[in-house]
């Protein structure tokens, strides 16, 4: 879609319809939008992932299309008053380009950075990465998916040679004899998935959940393991220890399809069940029952999610569960395997095509000479001119405005003021920039700090593709054009690119043998043209989309990557015959439990963990503005055990303050006997005084760059009492 301005359907005109997908989580439920008499209605449609179901967020997704707080004109901050005021597109774009040019002339190309999002379409994620590296020529680009999927991605790459959340269709979950969910709460984060859990149990399967809290998903389980936050890796090592001692491992599979097992055998030898119980609090009997349920199942699936992954040892924790799956012979076995539940709507596709700091399209490494040569040819630039790897998300945010850090930041599809760890510090870094540009359709907490705000199209106003948690590439279809004054992200990038090139004098000549592909020429602003280029850029990569076309997606309910040949098959199930590693074998990797980056003390005696609630999503920019969702979950809260509350003199509903070494949050207390007495929980969807990420730890995983959202040391106080 272009940035046109077709109005809503006038009364009496033929209604418009679009078969599309929900804008929220990675399940990407199928839905139909129908616009009649100026109103847009949502109906569920039969699609393989949701089978006609939607959650409350999906049913109310269209409520934001004509929201009174919708941004419909660019905003510029007045240097005298400090207020944001409406401006023309020309004025806003010229301001951005002038500042970028000035800063890069004074401080170098890397003085400008780009921050993307896991909700952007494949086309936009691809274009954003290309814009950063071809137009800005900066190495500094990363995205909020670093806070979501990076630990599982790193573990998948080092074990399997590929990172695809589910290497099998979602329907396999319904047929599993044993299903182990580690740090996952789909009953609240993606409710339509619960249909598969229900089906699994109706078939006689056993559901086991590992979570420090008694969540809605844990209440569905046959067995709930409730470990101390930060001890999931010890639990994984104990489960493999038991499988070894009881002869439950698949020796033939290990010998034929893997390498490195002996190192892992030695590493888990020390994790006998009693030691693990003393550390984690999970009873020996429950550890043994879990290992036996997995080891004796005909079909077993192990799934991890953010609870296990958002730690400074998240990549190693996921690797511990991958090691368990490999030892049991699950990956590649029909109906079995390891997978991870991707969170954001395009959390899978968003991490494949170039908006990660170390990545080029097709999941290629940016430091690989062959990958650089291939992509440079598609882009029409010399490979030597492509920047090298940048900084992962938190390190990038923490460097903003510093002496050697970027002075300008462009943000697309993210709200780091609420979503980043140690958010008080991040907010300060953003305030210290020479120029902050935010493209959004609502004034998020980050947009409220910006020097320039650009109004963008919403999900129902643009075409494109998304890649769901299965690696299935789907079509997002527009119902209508954006409102007058609003542009798509692709149109914004094209306009910025044209102005930058004009300011520099002319397009540089292509390198010898390169395709002549300008960044986003006016005729190529449309997402279909961008996708065609993405196909060429991804060809031969790990995430190969070369054989996927929009027509193929429309005909077959999507297509699974890798899919290198337009006339060949796609790949719903990976690993059936080999793993995409040099020798075709999966790799065991020895990992060791280590304590949380910050342990409790006399001053901070409690563990703090964060998560989601059913009616809200991510930083809440969208869902907090939907009346039905706001009514269902009107405010943040601090969940704590009644015994802890009694010791502290706290009553249910009373405002409390959670304090860490980095900051504090204030929200009403919610007493629950199902949380551990040594742990407090808060959802992370709110900003302001209730911002949970003011408290969280910015320690990061050395492999994945994932911050330690899920555990830090805190104290809890009654408000008004120090």
């Amino acid at each position: 879609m272009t940035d046109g301005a077709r109005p809503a359907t006038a009364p009496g005109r033929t209604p418009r319809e679009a078969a599309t997908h929900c804008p929220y989580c990675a399940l990407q439920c199928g839905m139909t939008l129908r616009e009649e008499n100026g109103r847009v209605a949502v109906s569920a449609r039969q699609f393989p992932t949701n089978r006609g179901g939607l959650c409350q967020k999906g049913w109310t997704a269209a409520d934001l299309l004509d929201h009174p707080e919708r941004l419909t004109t660019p905003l510029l901050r007045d240097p005298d008053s400090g207020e944001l005021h409406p401006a023309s597109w020309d004025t806003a774009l010229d301001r951005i380009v002038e500042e970028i040019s000035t800063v890069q002339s004074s401080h170098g190309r890397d003085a400008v950075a780009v921050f993307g999002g896991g909700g952007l379409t494949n086309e936009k994620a691809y274009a954003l990465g290309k814009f950063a590296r071809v137009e800005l020529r900066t190495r500094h680009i990363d995205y909020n998916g670093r806070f979501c999927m990076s630990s599982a991605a790193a573990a998948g790459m080092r074990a399997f040679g590929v990172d695809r959340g589910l290497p099998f269709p979602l329907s396999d979950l319904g047929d599993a004899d044993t299903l182990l969910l580690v740090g996952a709460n789909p009953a609240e984060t993606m409710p339509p998935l619960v249909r598969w859990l229900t089906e699994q149990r109706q078939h006689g399967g056993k559901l086991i959940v590992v979570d420090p809290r008694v969540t809605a998903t844990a209440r569905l389980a046959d067995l709930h393991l409730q470990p101390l936050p930060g001890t999931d890796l010890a639990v994984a090592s104990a489960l493999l220890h038991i499988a070894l001692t009881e002869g439950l491992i698949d020796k033939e599979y290990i010998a034929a399809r893997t390498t490195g097992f002996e190192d892992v055998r030695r590493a888990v030898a020390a994790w006998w069940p009693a030691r693990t119980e003393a550390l984690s609090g999970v009873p020996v009997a429950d550890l043994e029952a879990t290992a036996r349920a997995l080891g004796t199942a005909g079909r077993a699936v192990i799934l991890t999610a953010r609870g296990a992954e958002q730690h400074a040892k998240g990549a190693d924790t996921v690797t511990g569960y991958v090691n368990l799956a490999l030892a049991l012979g699950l990956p590649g076995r029909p109906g079995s395997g390891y997978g991870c539940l991707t969170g954001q709507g395009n959390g899978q596709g968003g991490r494949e095509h170039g908006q990660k700091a170390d990545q080029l399209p097709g999941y290629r490494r940016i430091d690989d000479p062959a990958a650089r040569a291939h992509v440079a040819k598609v882009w029409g630039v010399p490979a030597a001119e492509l920047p090298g790897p940048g900084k992962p998300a938190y390190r990038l945010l923490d460097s903003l405005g510093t002496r050697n850090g970027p002075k300008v930041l462009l943000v697309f599809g993210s709200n780091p003021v609420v979503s980043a760890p140690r958010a008080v510090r991040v907010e300060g870094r953003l305030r210290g920039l020479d120029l902050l540009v935010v493209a959004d359709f609502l004034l998020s907490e980050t947009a409220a700090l910006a020097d320039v705000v650009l109004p963008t199209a919403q999900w129902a106003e643009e075409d494109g593709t998304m890649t769901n948690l299965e690696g299935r590439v789907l079509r997002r279809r527009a119902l209508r054009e954006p409102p007058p004054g609003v542009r798509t992200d692709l149109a914004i990038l094209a306009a910025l690119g044209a102005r930058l090139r004009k300011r520099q004098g002319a397009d540089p000549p292509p390198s010898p043998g390169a395709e002549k592909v300008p960044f986003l020429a006016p005729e190529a602003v449309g997402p279909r043209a961008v996708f065609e280029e993405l196909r060429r850029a991804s060809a031969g990569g790990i995430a190969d989309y070369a054989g996927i076309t929009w027509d193929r997606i429309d005909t077959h309910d999507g297509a699974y990557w890798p899919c290198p040949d337009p006339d060949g098959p796609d790949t719903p199930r990976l690993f059936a015959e080999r793993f995409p590693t040099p020798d075709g074998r999966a790799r065991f990797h020895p990992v060791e439990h280590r304590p949380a980056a910050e342990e409790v003390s006399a001053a901070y005696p409690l563990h703090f963990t964060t998560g989601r609630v059913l009616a809200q999503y991510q930083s809440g920019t969208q869902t907090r503005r939907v009346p039905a969702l706001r009514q269902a979950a009107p405010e943040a809260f601090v969940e704590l055990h009644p015994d802890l509350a009694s010791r502290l003199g706290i009553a249910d509903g009373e405002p409390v303050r959670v304090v860490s070494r980095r900051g504090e949050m204030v929200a009403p207390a919610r007493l629950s006997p199902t949380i551990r007495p040594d742990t407090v929980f808060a959802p992370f969807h709110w900003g302001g005084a209730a911002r949970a990420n003011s408290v969280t730890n910015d320690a990061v995983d050395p492999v994945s760059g994932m911050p330690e959202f899920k555990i830090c040391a805190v104290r809890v106080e009654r408000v008004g009492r120090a």
Side-chain angles (χ1 to χ4, degrees):
M1 305 292 289
T2 61
D3 57 318
R6 186 170 63 201
T9 303
R13 292 191 179 178
T14 303
R16 286 194 296 269
E17 286 192 359
T20 188
H21 294 269
C22 179
Y24 290 115
C25 79
L27 200 59
Q28 285 296 282
C29 296
M31 61 168 53
T32 299
L33 301 180
R34 180 182 174 89
E35 185 179 46
E36 186 172 11
N37 297 328
R39 298 178 61 85
V40 178
V42 173
S43 60
R45 65 185 177 94
Q46 288 295 326
F47 194 77
T49 52
N50 62 305
R51 299 191 296 183
L54 291 175
C55 72
Q56 190 178 19
K57 292 188 290 289
W59 285 114
T60 59
D63 288 11
L64 291 172
L65 294 175
D66 298 306
H67 195 277
E69 295 181 43
R70 177 81 186 268
L71 299 175
T72 57
T73 186
L75 303 174
L76 262 63
R77 191 169 301 280
D78 183 275
D80 297 323
S81 69
E83 301 294 324
L84 288 169
H85 295 289
S88 70
W89 274 99
D90 284 340
T91 301
L93 295 172
D94 287 345
R95 165 76 189 282
I96 295 167
V97 170
E98 179 180 359
E99 194 73 33
I100 287 173
S101 299
T102 300
V103 167
Q104 287 191 322
S105 295
S106 300
H107 302 282
R109 292 285 187 178
D110 291 340
V112 177
V114 178
F115 198 77
L120 301 179
T121 63
N122 291 319
E123 293 79 8
K124 293 192 286 188
Y126 170 83
L128 199 62
K130 185 179 179 183
F131 175 79
R133 295 179 175 110
V134 174
E135 297 294 346
L136 298 176
R137 301 186 195 177
T138 179
R139 66 187 179 95
H140 288 313
I141 177 171
D142 211 58
Y143 79 127
N144 64 14
R146 182 76 64 175
F147 301 156
C148 182
M149 299 302 309
S150 58
S151 290
M157 289 298 294
R158 68 183 178 186
F160 306 128
V162 68
D163 160 34
R164 201 178 89 182
L166 294 184
F168 45 76
L170 193 63
S171 57
D172 281 11
L173 302 185
D175 295 325
D177 298 310
T178 298
L179 176 57
L180 177 66
L181 297 180
V182 185
N185 184 20
E188 293 193 80
T189 60
M190 45 181 64
L193 186 143
V194 173
R195 292 176 177 227
W196 300 108
L197 306 185
T198 301
E199 186 173 293
Q200 185 246 356
R201 297 191 68 204
Q202 289 173 342
H203 291 166
K206 176 171 286 190
L207 175 63
I208 305 173
V209 172
V210 182
D211 199 300
R213 301 172 60 230
V214 182
T215 63
T217 306
R219 286 192 286 271
L220 300 175
D222 298 285
L223 179 61
H224 175 207
L225 280 56
Q226 196 170 4
L228 179 73
T231 62
D232 294 303
L233 176 51
V235 171
S237 297
L239 294 175
L240 182 48
H241 179 105
I242 295 166
L244 280 162
T245 57
E246 297 194 3
L248 299 173
I249 64 171
D250 189 332
K251 295 180 180 178
E252 291 185 6
Y253 178 98
I254 292 169
R257 303 207 59 189
T258 72
T259 62
F261 177 66
E262 288 306 315
D263 289 339
V264 170
R265 181 198 291 272
R266 287 189 290 271
V268 302
W271 287 98
W272 56 91
R275 179 192 178 194
T276 304
E277 178 179 358
L279 176 72
S280 70
V282 178
V284 169
D286 290 349
L287 293 168
E288 292 175 339
T290 300
R292 290 165 188 160
L294 289 168
T296 59
R299 293 165 296 192
V301 174
I302 298 172
L303 298 179
T304 63
R306 305 305 82 71
E309 298 159 12
Q310 288 181 321
H311 295 268
K313 57 177 180 294
D316 285 354
T317 297
V318 176
T319 296
Y321 287 95
V322 170
N323 287 340
L324 175 62
L326 288 171
L328 297 173
L330 305 183
R333 196 169 90 196
S336 297
Y338 162 80
C340 123
L341 293 176
T342 303
Q344 295 190 74
N346 201 31
Q348 181 67 58
R351 66 183 188 263
E352 296 169 357
H353 298 300
Q355 64 172 337
K356 286 176 68 175
D358 56 355
Q359 184 194 81
L360 290 171
Y363 221 116
R364 290 180 163 90
R365 291 185 59 89
I366 200 169
D367 57 3
D368 177 2
R372 293 171 65 87
H374 171 85
V375 174
K377 182 178 180 181
V378 174
W379 287 352
V381 298
E385 290 187 4
L386 292 178
K391 297 177 181 178
Y394 182 75
R395 287 185 56 212
L396 173 59
L397 293 171
D398 193 36
S399 72
L400 297 174
T402 61
R403 180 177 179 183
N404 297 316
K407 309 297 188 288
V408 173
L409 179 69
L410 282 68
V411 179
F412 287 79
S414 189
N415 186 17
V417 167
V418 175
S419 64
R422 200 173 187 175
V424 175
R425 183 184 180 102
V426 170
E427 182 175 337
R429 297 293 195 222
L430 293 170
R431 290 182 183 276
L433 288 165
D434 290 358
L435 180 72
L436 173 61
V437 179
V438 176
D440 210 327
F441 53 85
L442 294 164
L443 196 69
S444 69
E445 286 82 356
T446 304
L449 299 182
D451 300 290
V452 183
V453 181
L454 302 177
T456 60
Q458 290 199 52
W459 59 288
E461 299 161 352
E462 59 183 0
D463 291 313
T465 61
M466 307 283 278
T467 305
N468 78 348
L469 76 174
E470 308 165 292
R472 187 199 302 251
V473 186
L474 310 168
R475 280 268 284 114
R476 172 175 284 182
R477 299 176 182 88
L479 175 71
R480 63 186 189 184
E481 297 280 355
V486 173
R487 299 189 182 186
T488 66
D489 290 327
L490 291 178
I492 291 170
L493 292 173
L496 287 173
R499 277 171 163 77
L500 286 166
R501 289 193 301 276
K502 182 177 180 180
R503 191 177 183 95
Q504 293 163 2
D507 291 333
S511 59
E515 301 177 21
K516 177 60 176 168
V517 181
F519 165 62
L520 278 177
E523 66 273 11
V525 172
R528 188 164 194 151
V530 175
F531 187 78
E532 289 302 306
E533 185 182 311
L534 181 158
R535 292 175 60 208
R536 297 195 301 276
S538 72
I542 293 171
D544 191 335
Y545 282 36
I548 301 175
T549 65
W550 280 21
D551 290 340
R552 181 173 187 165
I553 296 170
D554 291 344
T555 304
H556 295 97
D557 277 340
Y560 295 84
W561 68 261
C563 182
D565 184 354
D567 298 318
D570 61 351
T571 315
R573 289 182 173 81
L574 299 174
F575 317 145
E577 298 179 357
R578 69 185 312 275
F579 294 91
T581 58
D583 60 4
R585 291 171 174 257
R587 299 178 290 252
F588 280 96
H589 193 93
V591 288
E592 286 288 348
H593 168 79
R594 55 188 184 271
E598 180 179 77
E599 297 189 84
V600 295
S601 65
Y604 302 96
L606 300 169
H607 302 286
F608 179 69
T609 191
T610 65
R612 302 178 184 179
V613 296
L614 175 63
Q616 298 292 340
Y617 181 73
Q618 299 298 83
S619 70
T621 301
Q622 299 174 66
T623 49
R624 282 186 275 124
R625 288 173 166 86
V626 175
L629 301 180
R630 191 169 60 247
Q631 181 178 6
E635 60 183 353
F637 58 88
V638 176
E639 183 178 278
L640 62 163
H641 194 278
D643 291 348
L644 173 62
S646 178
R647 291 203 311 271
L648 298 175
I650 292 171
D652 190 51
E654 178 183 2
V656 296
R657 179 180 293 109
V658 180
V659 184
S660 75
R661 292 176 175 88
R662 290 153 300 280
E664 63 182 47
M665 68 167 291
V666 176
R670 180 177 295 183
L671 307 191
S672 171
T674 61
I675 194 170
R676 294 175 56 103
D678 57 4
T679 301
V680 294
F681 165 87
F684 57 72
H685 310 291
W686 283 267
R691 181 173 59 187
N693 279 319
S694 295
V695 177
T696 51
N697 197 345
D698 59 344
V700 298
D701 187 301
V703 178
S704 67
M706 172 71 79
E708 186 142 273
F709 288 102
K710 286 296 189 251
I711 183 171
C712 69
V714 301
R715 66 175 179 267
V716 176
E717 306 167 345
R718 296 178 64 188
V719 171
R721 214 185 255 195

